[in-house]
Amino acid sequence: EDQVTQSPEALRLQEGESSSLNCSYTVSGLRGLFWYRQDPGKGPEFLFTLYSAGEEKEKERLKATLTKKESFLHITAPKPEDSATYLCAVQDIASGTYKYIFGTGTRLKVLA
Amino acid sequence: GAGVSQSPSNKVTEKGKDVELRCDPISGHTALYWYRQSLGQGLEFLIYFQGNSAPDKSGLPSDRFSAERTGGSVSTLTIQRTQQEDSAVYLCASSQMTGTYEQYFGPGTRLTVT
């Protein structure tokens, strides 16, 4: 069964304190792994899509990496505006469908 | 341009009543997804539509839940005989097509069943 597990559940960082969020996944065949950011009271906002092990993508202070079992979202020198819940999702090519399986997210709080 | 819109933004209903939630996707997007997000939980897939193909209903939790998409645009999620456990935020997303295209989410409808 497809599964996505994110850790930690919550993370508090000081401004400028770099860290990483983890997304472990189990699928028969990965079509894509997706990162989204969700602010309170809003819908998720797309960040990255990763397709194969070894791939990396960057956007401002965020960098996403992918292995065959997990993905990391690295946050370099975070700012308070990076505070949000970060969601990871996968699509399993073997499922024959295009549904997304989401993890429960990591709630990030960056303190000034 | 306009993003995905959902209405109502909040809905309070009594147990046993039926509710309809509406989603207006981005114009031209052929794929439309519905999700449910309970407090502190991730997004639970409910159903997706892709063009004129039969929808994937595999995530609907019971036969009280149904959805339709008229004219390949607006979608309505209907919950019949609502139960307290149906209380959640219902999110809609659209994308150019199914596959690994970026999903654009609406702001959600917060449903409270009393």
Side-chain angles (χ1 to χ4, degrees), chain B residues 12-25:
Chain B
V12 180
T13 190
E14 293 180 353
K15 177 181 172 181
K17 301 282 190 181
D18 298 351
V19 295
E20 286 189 352
L21 312 180
R22 177 187 168 107
C23 172
D24 284 85

Side-chain angles (χ1 to χ4, degrees), chain A residues 25-112:
Chain A
Y25 65 92
T26 303
V27 294
S28 298
L30 183 68
R31 177 182 283 122
L33 184 140
F34 311 85
W35 283 98
Y36 284 82
R37 167 192 171 127
Q38 186 174 25
D39 293 302
K42 297 188 176 181
E45 177 185 344
F46 172 79
L47 293 173
F48 304 109
T49 304
L50 302 167
Y51 298 96
S52 58
E55 189 174 2
E56 299 184 351
K57 289 194 176 173
E58 288 188 66
K59 180 180 179 180
E60 297 180 355
R61 295 177 293 283
L62 301 177
K63 182 168 85 171
T65 62
L66 181 66
T67 73
K68 289 186 177 179
K69 294 185 176 181
E70 58 191 351
S71 177
F72 292 93
L73 185 65
H74 307 278
I75 304 177
T76 302
K79 298 183 177 182
E81 53 262 43
D82 294 323
S83 298
T85 296
Y86 290 85
L87 297 167
C88 172
V90 298
Q91 274 192 356
D92 184 348
I93 198 169
S95 71
T97 80
Y98 293 98
K99 66 182 180 183
Y100 293 77
I101 309 299
F102 276 84
T104 54
T106 293
R107 295 189 313 277
L108 174 65
K109 177 74 172 176
V110 182
L111 305 171

